[in-house]
Amino acid sequence: MKVLVAILIFLSFIQVSILPINFVLLVLLSRAFLRVDKANLYLGFAFGLLLSYLNGMSMGIYSIAFLNLIALTHALSKAPISKNVLTLIPLTLFSILLLESLSFLFGTTPDYSLSILWPLIFIIPVFILIKWLDERFVVEEQFRLKL
């Protein structure tokens, strides 16, 4: 979890300063699709506040959007269709369109060409990376040996 938080902090600063691709959303959606737990909601709320602050938007807009999108991802990950990883592509499209419309409502001009195309390309590699990190750095008690 500490590695994921460090990656999200780094990606939030990269997103605001260099690349206009919403990598924080991609990582949060990938982790919510991979693992259903309350920690995803805490991460979504915290990094939504951080992104709202760094972008200069109204505080809490990204947090509310991230919480709703993570809850939607949790609901979709329980459905039988979620066995296919390509389910993330329409979910990402919906998420990016929702965030762009929210940013338009609160004063910034959305750039639909770059901000929609690149996340759709990057969602599958980000999911594979998050799955790899989750397998390597998250310790779970699977077996208990009785002696």
Side-chain angles (χ1 to χ4, degrees), residues 49-60:
L49 283 178
L50 179 64
L51 280 179
S52 295
Y53 178 72
L54 292 176
N55 279 333
M57 293 181 63
S58 299
M59 293 296 284

Side-chain angles (χ1 to χ4, degrees), residues 32-88:
F33 193 77
L34 185 65
R35 179 181 289 262
V36 177
D37 60 350
K38 283 187 175 182
N40 294 330
L41 296 172
Y42 296 138
L43 286 172
F45 183 75
F47 285 99
L49 283 178
L50 179 64
L51 280 179
S52 295
Y53 178 72
L54 292 176
N55 279 333
M57 293 181 63
S58 299
M59 293 296 284
I61 297 301
Y62 278 124
S63 294
I64 293 171
F66 284 172
L67 288 176
N68 288 328
L69 292 172
I70 289 171
L72 176 68
T73 306
H74 283 172
L76 282 177
S77 66
K78 295 176 185 175
I81 196 170
S82 69
K83 301 298 179 194
N84 193 350
V85 178
L86 296 177
T87 310
L88 280 171

Side-chain angles (χ1 to χ4, degrees), residues 107-126:
T108 60
T109 307
D111 182 21
Y112 289 112
S113 61
L114 181 67
S115 61
I116 291 178
L117 179 65
W118 289 112
L120 293 177
I121 293 170
F122 284 128
I123 186 63
I124 301 301
V126 166

Side-chain angles (χ1 to χ4, degrees), residues 19 23-24 26-27 54-55 64 68 77 92-93 95 97 106 109 119 121 125 129 135 147:
L19 293 173
F23 282 118
V24 174
L26 296 179
V27 170
L54 292 176
N55 279 333
I64 293 171
N68 288 328
S77 66
T92 304
L93 178 65
S95 303
L97 287 175
F106 289 98
T109 307
I121 293 170
L129 180 67
E135 290 172 353
L147 298 175

